Amino acid sequence: MAALLRSARLLKFSPSGVLQITGTKRVGPSLSRLYSGAIHSGTRTGVCSRQISPASQNVSSHVWPYTVGCVRSYTVATQEKEANMAVRSKQAQQFDWALAKLDSSVRRTGRITKTLLLRIFHDICRAGYPSSNQALLLLRSCGSLLPEIRLEERTKLAHHMWEKLQQLGAQYDVSHYNALLKVYLQNQFKFSPTDFLAKMESANVQPNRVTYQRLIAAYCQNGDIEGASTILGFMKSKDLPITEAVFSSLVTGHARRGDMENAKNILSVMRGAGMEPGPETYVSLLTAYAEKGDMDGLKKTLETAESADCSLMDRDIMQVIFTLAKSGHEQYLPEMIERLRLERNYIPDAMNLCLSLITQGLEDTAFQVLKTMPALQSENSDSPQMGSFFLRHCVNMDTAIEKITSYCKELKESDLHTSPLIFTLSCALDAKKTDMSLKLMKILKEQDFPIRPHYFWPLLTQHVKDNNVSGVLEVVKSMQQFDVSPDVDTLNKYILPVFSDLEAAQQALEGTGVSLESEGFLSAKVRSLAVNNLAELYTLLSNSSDPSLDFNVFRNSLSMGFRKSSDVESMVKITELWYKDKRFCKGPSKPTEAVSFFLYNLIDSMSAAEAQAQKDKLRKYFNQLQTQNIFISVNIYRGIRNLLESYHIPELSKDVFALVPSNNRMQNSSLPAVATENESKVLALERRLAELKAENKPLDFVLKQTIQAVCAEENLQRALELKQQHEEEMTAGCYATLINLCCRQDNVEEALNLKTELSRKDSSVVLDAGKYIMLVKTLSLNGRVDEAVEMLKEMKEKEVVLNDSHVGMLFHLLNSVVIKGGPSAVQQLQDTIFALGLAKPSANLCSPLITAYLNSEDLSGAVDAVQECQRLYKYLPRLHDILVGLVEKGDTDLLQKAIDFVSQERGEMTMLYDLFFAFLQTGRYREARKIIETPGLRAKPGRLQWFAEKCIFANQMETLEQMVDMTAKLFECDRDELYSYILRLCKETNDWKKAEAVWMKMQEENVIPRERTLRLLASILRSNGQEVPFEEPETWYEQVVTTEQVEPATTFTPAGNITDLQNRLLTLCKKDKTKAAYGMLKDAHEKGVAVSAGTYDHLIRSLLAEGSIDAAMAVKDIAASHMPGFRLSNNANSLLIITLSKKDEAKDALENLKSMLQAQNVPSKLTIIRLVQALGRKGDVAAINEVQSLVAGLGTNLNLSNMLFINNTALAHIKSGDVDSAVELLKDVYTSPDSKSPSMSFVFRRIIEEANDTALDKLSAMAEQLANHFAFYRPVLDLFLQLLDNDKVEDAKLLLARCNALAEQKDVLMSYVSQKAQTPGQVGKINTLTSLIPNFAGKDVLYSYQMKCHCLDKDLSAAKALHEQMQKEGIVADELSLKRLAVLYRNAGEPVPFIEPQESWKFYADKLRANVAKAQTTAEE
């Protein structure tokens, strides 16, 4: 087609000949007439427009527009087509969201804003790889839907999006080219249709009918009838229908050519072709007359349209108005404006017309249109704001200030806007238009309007950001012109930050008229000194002649200064001055209270690391405050103590406690007696114990507290004395505390005596697992292994449950026995633990036995033990250390025995790597090289990484270098990854020379480094003052990497073969054959063939979805070897974190989350949920808190429930054995004033599944207490439903008996029934619930859910029985139940014994929902 157009340039066509079209029929009115869109200066092909506006007649349409700078390098399509990516679930959601946002904006206003469009664009780009639909959505939005943007800027935006989306892997088809054509037409962009077609052909994209129609419109826009006729003839030869859009374009084309007669005759040609002209054609003719200023022609055409019963809407007339104004025929505007009928959608259409006119510099016409709008405005508003959009756009388009003020005056006088000038000023300030803002302020001041200091903040912001001193001073001078002095906030936030210090600020401000003696400047000076010079600040504040200042003015600055400064003496002086001088407290609060709160806020503002680093400074500060008789309240002390404990420096608490007045130190509900200042906590407790005994009151609680306090001081003798004095009152908890202290002090006899005594008092009492393990450890370390074994057996008999933390204690127990007991003792304990099933065998628990043999230098025993571990438990603990020992000893026979066994059990490759690492570790580099050069040996990234990390940890640079050097020719070895390990060690040792040598070595090997490697190397060099010999990468999307740049030595494969390979890979992934896809990709990689970034990412996600992390990371490395800028997409990163979390590798998952956030990517909601749950399973409370803070700082709402963090924090406490903290945490949530009764069902489910009876008992007690004492029923209801879910019906019955009010929680119970009815096989749960609580809902409702369950289970017999029962009880089944039952009958091949409801499922579902809602409303009334 492009060739045809080029040859057609030599011919002269007769338009009349081409226009003799027969057999065509009118295709009906344009749908665009029914869609409110922006009025624009482009063609009639816009979303809401049918107009072609005038264009320059002097621009040739025969060539590509080289004179337009923004398209010199613009490429319409890529030379190589990439495979279409499958639409992923999250992309689909994003597309739906973007479409909904844009559609909502267009429906409401007929336009979209540039801000919204760019936000969606950046979100789509950040997601990774845009879909075809997303690209189409963005491109289509760059035309008439942006009336506030100039035409050339719209086109430039479209070009930018085209190129960017193409770089990200978007696949373009004919719809995208058509969308781009439409944008060109709407924006009146000059381009060559011939070259456009050629670009499509080169991209293997075939034009369609829409393409030809829009190319005709492009020719006609420039009056080029010959070009349009050529395409028209081509369309006829292809039997493509000629629609009204083509005829209306020809009307415009003839008119632009100056041939109005032929333009008018097009209507006759249409009728002759059997097509009646519609509104689109009439509007084209009207705009043609409007361009010429032919008012008579306009009127006649309007009359003709009216007589032809062709109704023109307001937006059609608006296009004529726009054309008249743009063509300079303003004298005819009033007559056309009078023709507006003010239809229903008039307001958004009129606003868009105004915006388009202002964008074109036709503000006066826009104002005339604006004044037609008030008739439709609501009269209910007390403060009309008509024209705000008009004034804002005038400001954005830099309209002359004189015009703007005249518009404001008229709006004010007409009562259309209450404060137009003030609003215009706010718009100018928002747009940071300094000159306009100052002129508007001057006008306002002349009208006696007060000018405030904060008006100047927007003008100062950018100058402060750019550190532009002169710019700030100019604005300050302008403030003085309005008699406005900078206040404290203005000085501190927007003026002083640009100066190096306060003196420089004073010198610079002297000539601006700012008073340096004002309270504002004094406050600013105090704030600055508070941060930078505490000694000078004290001198200034202690001068009573200076004006007094409210301490709140500089409290935050002082807190920052205290954290930075090491001048404790000045800190104390300032605190004392504030504490004793009332000048600094102007409010109702007292100086003492203000100081107390300041101290709390000071500690609260510190991070944990900061507080730990300043521990000595804080201790000194608190001690000196005490010497100055500065006191704080008990509540403030408690708050500071809690903070210090969370910072892991509780030892400072006693220094803060010293600041509490002596008469308040024992204010505690459990300690009503008041101790003297010198009495310790233990003495106070003992005193209270004596009082209770004298009063003959129960001692158990206070006795337990006293023994715990004594044991905390490690005073075993006193604790045993207390036990002897109060023998009868001793509880199991007291005995457990004493046993624990005896074990800590290695007093095994006393520990056993206490345990025997406890068993004698109550044989049913069972110690917790931690105490038992401490006893076993103490017995073992004292050579009493047999008794330790008996203790382990007792644990099994009494069914003591061990969690992960207890398993860790077992590991440390076995390790401690290694030194004193030797291999035999460890073997005996290990065998007992595994045989009794107290813990599952693991490499960790097996390793102490090997350690014992290694420590005793019994390598033969170690080999035998590791072989036995492999045979029994399939683990090879500390194999590397055994092999290293054998190599160092030179015992070749035993070494051969060991490697033969490994080869037999784990394969030859594993054996070779084990031997390779052993030789490296012992410095036998020659032997190591022979091993790694074994033919057929492949790189195993995980093994290489393990040894590299080992070398980095042990600071073994030579060994690491040797490994990297030896693996140079290893098949599939990631050289960049290995060199990065050396660079990491260089970073830790700060060895820049070694790093520089590594860089040279990488160049010699032709290694293409990843961005992270380059950044690491640059960081090492820069920190040592060395020049970085390459351009450091910044962000991944700034690198435009072509195939030639990335793979200079790659053997290229024809584009068709690559496309086929990509399609096959994607097809395999869709069919869940990811292993086959992975193998195919590796084969292609070996041959030097690279695929698109989207294909790599898709395969990575497919591998992660099935849990193959190693394979996924291998694909990532392959992708990075071909394109160094490759990064995982947002979805792939999220999947990686989810997969790691599922594998309980929570630490790695958290690190990936941090990396993801640092790259400014947003994780999915599911990602955060799975990670937090994994951390909860690990018992890592700190990490959960860290994730919560990271999510809070995102700036994006992920709609995460706060209970996600609370529930999993509670589970983490339980996992760590601290059930009390979990109970306290959850109780605080439910008893807080703003509690909304959240669910803790997840916690109950987990502890029931794990059979953690201890935690279940305590949480059950808490739930029942909340229900019975506080009427909070949600926790106990969650427990009840979880018991039902886990088939613990008897326990649920007992709970219901204890908490009868459960039966009244009907909403939650119905929610449970509704939820169960969504899943097959759950009807039994619903039946159980109804048997326990029969009347919590109406029978008709319950029967409906039961019927749904039977239908889901495809249980026709049960459904029949239920239907019969309903009929017997006189309950009418709803239509939805009957429809379900009818389907069940038909599927079983039985006749339906009732009349089946005929409407759709949705109809009956909506009807049922409406009935339920109506019933609820009636009940409430």
Side-chain angles (χ1 to χ4, degrees), residues 195-214:
D195 286 355
F196 191 93
L197 270 177
K199 296 291 184 182
M200 289 183 70
E201 289 176 7
S202 67
N204 252 348
V205 177
Q206 294 301 317
N208 60 12
R209 179 176 58 81
V210 177
T211 313
Y212 295 130
Q213 285 181 185
R214 290 178 182 171

Side-chain angles (χ1 to χ4, degrees), residues 75 228 257 323 344 350 388 441 461 486 570 580 587 634 723 807 877 1091 1112 1197 1211 1244 1305 1340 1353 1409:
T75 304
R257 196 177 190 184
T323 305
R344 183 177 179 182
S388 293
M441 287 184 199
T461 301
S570 297
K580 298 177 180 178
V634 174
K723 191 265 301 184
V807 173
V1091 294
N1197 186 11
L1211 286 171
F1244 281 124
Q1305 313 307 309
D1340 55 338
D1353 296 338
R1409 199 176 294 114

Side-chain angles (χ1 to χ4, degrees), residues 964-1186:
V964 174
D965 182 58
M966 292 178 193
T967 53
K969 296 181 181 180
L970 185 62
F971 186 65
E972 292 184 339
C973 181
D974 187 341
R975 303 301 295 156
D976 171 75
E977 184 74 15
L978 292 184
Y979 277 115
S980 71
Y981 296 137
I982 300 180
L983 290 175
R984 279 176 52 193
L985 187 50
C986 291
K987 177 77 173 175
E988 292 188 9
T989 58
N990 201 29
D991 189 347
W992 68 268
K993 291 183 178 179
K994 178 69 71 177
E996 192 175 51
V998 169
W999 172 241
M1000 297 302 295
K1001 186 73 174 173
M1002 291 175 72
Q1003 293 177 75
E1004 290 173 6
E1005 278 192 40
N1006 265 340
V1007 176
I1008 300 175
R1010 295 182 178 87
E1011 285 187 6
R1012 66 178 184 189
T1013 307
L1014 291 175
R1015 290 196 188 97
L1016 178 59
L1017 177 57
S1019 172
I1020 297 169
L1021 295 174
R1022 196 185 304 106
S1023 62
N1024 285 277
Q1026 303 300 311
E1027 183 181 352
V1028 178
F1030 49 81
E1031 184 178 355
E1032 184 179 359
E1034 295 179 1
T1035 50
W1036 65 270
Y1037 53 82
E1038 290 177 350
Q1039 289 191 343
V1040 182
V1041 184
T1042 63
T1043 305
E1044 290 81 3
Q1045 289 172 323
V1046 175
E1047 296 183 89
T1050 297
T1051 303
F1052 288 94
T1053 303
N1057 291 346
I1058 293 178
T1059 303
D1060 180 59
L1061 171 63
Q1062 292 174 161
N1063 288 333
R1064 288 166 63 193
L1065 288 170
L1066 292 174
T1067 302
L1068 287 171
C1069 290
K1070 289 177 187 176
K1071 294 181 178 179
D1072 293 330
K1073 297 180 179 178
T1074 50
K1075 290 184 179 179
Y1078 177 47
M1080 186 181 295
L1081 181 71
K1082 288 202 296 183
D1083 292 341
H1085 174 60
E1086 290 171 9
K1087 297 174 183 176
V1089 177
V1091 294
S1092 69
T1095 306
Y1096 286 124
D1097 191 77
H1098 194 98
L1099 178 54
I1100 289 170
R1101 286 182 288 107
S1102 299
L1103 289 165
L1104 289 172
E1106 66 174 24
S1108 302
I1109 295 180
D1110 293 340
M1113 294 301 97
V1115 174
K1116 178 187 174 186
D1117 293 339
I1118 290 173
S1121 69
H1122 290 288
M1123 43 188 75
F1126 179 81
R1127 288 293 182 272
L1128 291 183
S1129 66
N1130 220 15
N1131 283 349
N1133 269 317
S1134 294
L1135 261 177
L1136 176 59
I1137 295 170
I1138 290 170
T1139 308
L1140 288 168
S1141 300
K1142 285 183 177 179
K1143 291 179 175 291
D1144 280 337
E1145 297 177 18
K1147 185 176 181 182
D1148 293 339
L1150 179 56
E1151 291 303 318
N1152 275 281
L1153 176 66
K1154 291 178 184 177
S1155 302
M1156 192 176 180
L1157 296 178
Q1158 286 172 1
Q1160 297 185 344
N1161 290 329
V1162 179
S1164 66
K1165 179 180 178 180
L1166 182 62
T1167 304
I1168 302 299
I1169 291 172
R1170 291 291 179 264
L1171 174 56
V1172 173
Q1173 289 174 347
L1175 293 169
R1177 291 195 298 271
K1178 286 288 184 183
D1180 197 337
V1181 175
I1184 294 175
N1185 294 333
E1186 185 177 4

Side-chain angles (χ1 to χ4, degrees), residues 156 236 426 559 733 763 822 912 916 924 957 1070 1086:
K156 188 176 181 181
K236 284 184 64 181
S426 70
S559 177
S763 60
L912 290 173
F916 171 61
R924 269 73 164 182
M957 176 64 79
K1070 289 177 187 176
E1086 290 171 9

Side-chain angles (χ1 to χ4, degrees), residues 112 358 420 663 679 704 708 838 858 883 991 1195:
I112 57 178
I358 295 169
N663 59 336
E679 284 180 321
K704 181 180 178 181
Q708 286 176 340
L838 294 174
D858 183 1
L883 295 179
D991 189 347

Side-chain angles (χ1 to χ4, degrees), residues 364 367-368 370-372 374 386 390-391 402-418 420-421:
D364 292 337
F367 195 66
Q368 289 183 56
L370 177 69
K371 288 189 290 185
T372 67
M386 185 63 193
F390 177 89
L391 296 173
E402 295 78 13
K403 277 191 176 184
I404 293 179
T405 51
S406 67
Y407 299 146
C408 291
K409 182 179 180 183
E410 192 167 343
L411 288 171
K412 180 78 172 176
E413 291 173 351
S414 304
D415 291 329
L416 300 178
H417 202 295
T418 54
L421 263 178

Side-chain angles (χ1 to χ4, degrees), residues 1126-1420:
F1126 179 81
R1127 288 293 182 272
L1128 291 183
S1129 66
N1130 220 15
N1131 283 349
N1133 269 317
S1134 294
L1135 261 177
L1136 176 59
I1137 295 170
I1138 290 170
T1139 308
L1140 288 168
S1141 300
K1142 285 183 177 179
K1143 291 179 175 291
D1144 280 337
E1145 297 177 18
K1147 185 176 181 182
D1148 293 339
L1150 179 56
E1151 291 303 318
N1152 275 281
L1153 176 66
K1154 291 178 184 177
S1155 302
M1156 192 176 180
L1157 296 178
Q1158 286 172 1
Q1160 297 185 344
N1161 290 329
V1162 179
S1164 66
K1165 179 180 178 180
L1166 182 62
T1167 304
I1168 302 299
I1169 291 172
R1170 291 291 179 264
L1171 174 56
V1172 173
Q1173 289 174 347
L1175 293 169
R1177 291 195 298 271
K1178 286 288 184 183
D1180 197 337
V1181 175
I1184 294 175
N1185 294 333
E1186 185 177 4
V1187 173
Q1188 187 172 14
S1189 64
L1190 289 172
V1191 172
L1194 268 180
T1196 300
N1197 186 11
L1198 294 178
N1199 293 322
L1200 289 168
S1201 167
N1202 192 43
M1203 288 305 292
L1204 169 69
F1205 299 101
I1206 293 171
N1207 282 339
N1208 282 284
T1209 302
L1211 286 171
H1213 282 307
I1214 293 170
K1215 193 72 175 176
S1216 303
D1218 189 2
V1219 182
D1220 293 339
S1221 294
V1223 172
E1224 185 178 352
L1225 172 67
L1226 291 167
K1227 187 182 287 186
D1228 288 346
V1229 170
Y1230 284 102
T1231 56
S1232 66
D1234 56 348
S1235 174
K1236 297 180 181 179
S1237 295
S1239 172
M1240 59 175 289
S1241 180
F1242 180 69
V1243 177
F1244 281 124
R1245 188 180 79 208
R1246 287 287 301 278
I1247 61 176
I1248 291 172
E1249 288 173 352
E1250 294 174 3
N1252 190 340
D1253 293 339
T1254 303
L1256 184 60
D1257 290 345
K1258 291 189 177 182
L1259 287 173
S1260 301
M1262 178 204 76
E1264 292 180 41
Q1265 183 186 22
L1266 289 171
N1268 296 327
H1269 295 176
F1270 301 97
F1272 287 131
Y1273 298 109
R1274 188 55 191 264
V1276 75
L1277 194 56
D1278 288 337
L1279 173 59
F1280 175 71
L1281 295 177
Q1282 283 302 317
L1283 289 172
L1284 287 183
D1285 257 356
N1286 287 273
D1287 298 324
K1288 295 179 178 291
V1289 180
E1290 292 302 320
D1291 291 341
K1293 282 182 183 178
L1294 294 173
L1295 182 62
L1296 183 61
R1298 293 195 299 271
C1299 297
N1300 293 325
L1302 282 175
E1304 303 300 322
Q1305 313 307 309
K1306 297 180 179 180
D1307 289 343
V1308 180
L1309 294 174
M1310 276 308 305
S1311 176
Y1312 174 80
V1313 172
S1314 175
Q1315 179 189 0
K1316 291 300 162 190
Q1318 306 296 325
T1319 310
Q1322 298 296 314
V1323 68
K1325 303 282 176 64
I1326 297 177
N1327 293 337
T1328 303
L1329 177 61
T1330 53
S1331 67
L1332 293 176
I1333 308 175
N1335 302 317
F1336 71 89
K1339 282 191 174 182
D1340 55 338
V1341 177
L1342 288 174
Y1343 284 157
S1344 174
Y1345 281 115
Q1346 286 174 329
M1347 181 64 75
K1348 183 178 180 181
C1349 289
H1350 292 321
C1351 293
L1352 280 174
D1353 296 338
K1354 299 179 181 178
D1355 188 349
L1356 179 58
S1357 59
K1360 282 181 183 179
L1362 178 63
H1363 190 219
E1364 290 171 3
Q1365 183 180 348
M1366 293 173 71
Q1367 290 174 326
K1368 287 178 184 177
E1369 295 179 8
I1371 296 173
V1372 179
D1374 58 76
E1375 292 100 329
L1376 198 58
S1377 295
L1378 289 175
K1379 195 168 182 68
R1380 288 191 178 111
L1381 183 55
V1383 171
L1384 206 56
Y1385 270 109
R1386 281 203 310 276
N1387 290 343
E1390 296 186 21
V1392 181
F1394 51 82
I1395 300 174
E1396 180 182 354
Q1398 297 302 309
E1399 297 291 341
S1400 66
W1401 292 96
K1402 184 177 185 300
F1403 174 83
Y1404 292 119
D1406 291 342
K1407 181 180 178 180
L1408 185 61
R1409 199 176 294 114
N1411 291 340
V1412 172
K1414 185 177 179 180
Q1416 288 177 345
T1417 305
T1418 304
E1420 289 170 1

